[in-house]
């Protein structure tokens, strides 16, 4: 039985003070939550304060990117050691905003995934098609390419620490959500690719999140699909009430 995982991607939002207020609000209802794994991914600048606020909590800490290098002359980058020092457990990799605005390719994402796994950080690996690609009937081709490329050379055992997020780009921040059927279909497809890559056991155990305008009003239906094991939440994670309600929809 796969435990559902709901992660809030705060993106480039929240000052330190705002981040602490938000996480305290979430903590007030979810600190002891064991039924669903709840993860918050603040910006780097707020990680230390949010990490301190989460001490003794069941809520996990994540971040939104990570260097594929260990240390050294990489101006502006953040390493796995720096993240682990702050008790970060999850790292979102290959988000469509990183792919489209910062040129992250599957190869780069793959290097980061390997670096994360080698250093006990759990990657949340994002894949998803654009509207143009969907309308051209290329959804499966694009998603398969991203899954195989971003997760190349990952072993079945390593997959236990991997989460995949299916995020149709046209649904991110747009208010448009994939229908439950559209989402379930792609999730099942992703699981079938993983089965082909590393076998049945790893495919069965893999958690696949849906991301793209998930909110309290649509979360329950999406999360009740057989291959949808959680959500990666953008806009609705910036407010405690809506994030809590989405986590509760997964219980
Ligand atoms: C995201 O950016 O990962 C996301 C799903 O955003 P939103 O929920 O705002 O669509």
């Amino acid at each position: 039985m796969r435990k559902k995982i709901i992660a809030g991607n705060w993106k480039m939002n929240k000052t330190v003070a705002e981040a602490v207020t938000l996480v305290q609000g979430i903590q007030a209802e979810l600190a002891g939550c064991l039924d669903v794994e709840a993860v918050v991914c603040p910006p780097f600048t707020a990680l230390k304060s949010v990490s301190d606020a989460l001490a003794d909590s069941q809520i996990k800490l994540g971040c939104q990117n990570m260097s594929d290098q260990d240390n050294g002359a990489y101006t502006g980058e953040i390493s796995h050691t720096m993240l682990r020092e702050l008790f970060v457990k999850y790292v979102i990799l290959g988000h469509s905003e990183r792919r489209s605005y910062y040129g992250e390719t599957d190869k780069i994402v793959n290097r980061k995934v390997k670096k994360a796994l080698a250093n006990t950080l759990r990657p949340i690996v994002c894949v998803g098609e654009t509207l143009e690609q969907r309308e051209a009937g290329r959804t499966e081709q694009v998603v398969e390419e991203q899954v195989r490329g971003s997760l190349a050379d990952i072993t079945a055992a390593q997959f236990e620490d991997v989460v995949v997020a299916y995020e149709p780009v046209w649904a991110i921040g747009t208010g448009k959500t994939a229908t439950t059927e559209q989402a379930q279909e792609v999730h099942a497809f992703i699981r079938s690719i993983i089965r082909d890559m590393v076998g049945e056991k790893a495919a069965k155990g893999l958690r696949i999140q849906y991301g793209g305008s998930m909110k309290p009003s649509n979360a329950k239906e999406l999360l009740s699909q057989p291959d949808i094991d959680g959500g990666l939440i953008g806009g609705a994670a910036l407010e405690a009430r809506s994030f809590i309600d989405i986590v509760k929809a997964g219980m």
Side-chain angles (χ1 to χ4, degrees):
M1 183 64 179
R2 299 183 293 266
K3 186 175 191 169
K4 293 222 168 14
I5 175 166
I6 306 290
N9 174 11
W10 298 4
K11 310 193 185 188
M12 197 171 71
N13 294 293
K14 306 294 177 188
T15 61
V16 172
E18 289 166 348
V20 170
T21 302
L22 174 55
V23 80
Q24 283 170 345
I26 295 169
Q27 287 256 80
E29 284 195 48
L30 296 179
C33 170
L34 289 167
D35 301 339
V36 170
E37 198 169 358
V39 183
V40 292
C41 304
F44 289 123
T45 47
L47 279 176
K48 169 80 174 98
S49 305
V50 171
S51 182
D52 291 345
L54 287 177
D56 303 321
S57 169
Q58 295 298 330
I59 299 168
K60 308 264 174 44
L61 185 61
C63 64
Q64 304 167 24
N65 188 21
M66 189 195 83
S67 172
D68 61 351
Q69 301 294 321
D70 291 318
N71 62 277
Y74 299 99
T75 302
E77 292 293 304
I78 306 281
S79 77
H80 55 85
T81 311
M82 297 166 182
L83 297 168
R84 293 239 323 278
E85 188 180 25
L86 300 179
F87 305 103
V88 171
K89 296 275 184 303
Y90 286 93
V91 50
I92 299 169
L93 294 175
H95 190 280
S96 65
E97 287 151 18
R98 302 267 352 143
R99 289 176 186 267
S100 64
Y101 303 147
Y102 304 102
E104 286 198 12
T105 59
D106 290 330
K107 264 207 166 81
I108 295 172
V109 177
N110 185 237
R111 283 206 301 270
K112 293 183 176 191
V113 169
K114 288 174 178 166
K115 188 59 77 180
L117 289 169
N119 292 280
T120 63
L121 282 161
R122 297 175 176 182
I124 295 175
V125 184
C126 304
V127 299
E129 81 288 357
T130 63
L131 186 58
E132 200 184 9
Q133 289 164 336
R134 175 165 280 268
E135 286 176 347
R138 294 182 54 226
T139 298
E140 292 200 347
Q141 181 205 329
V142 169
V143 168
E144 177 161 8
E145 220 170 85
Q146 290 178 342
V147 168
R148 289 192 186 272
S150 304
L151 294 165
D153 310 318
I154 304 305
T155 65
Q158 284 179 310
F159 261 99
E160 285 176 24
D161 290 324
V162 172
V163 175
V164 171
Y166 168 59
E167 300 207 300
V169 178
W170 48 272
I172 296 178
T174 58
K176 285 186 198 148
T177 319
T179 64
T180 43
E181 293 76 21
Q182 284 172 326
Q184 164 57 27
E185 192 175 50
V186 181
H187 280 237
F189 176 66
I190 292 171
R191 203 177 300 288
S192 75
I193 300 166
I194 304 300
R195 187 175 297 120
D196 185 58
M197 287 169 72
V198 284
E200 179 67 21
K201 186 165 175 269
K204 259 194 172 159
L206 176 71
R207 293 184 294 177
I208 307 174
Q209 295 175 313
Y210 170 79
S213 300
M214 194 188 265
K215 43 190 178 276
S217 58
N218 61 22
K220 202 157 193 83
E221 201 185 329
L222 284 160
L223 293 169
S224 66
Q225 299 302 301
D227 288 290
I228 301 183
D229 309 307
L232 183 54
I233 322 298
L238 294 175
E239 204 235 308
R241 186 70 261 154
S242 47
F243 183 71
I244 291 164
D245 287 346
I246 294 172
V247 172
K248 289 189 168 172
M251 287 178 180

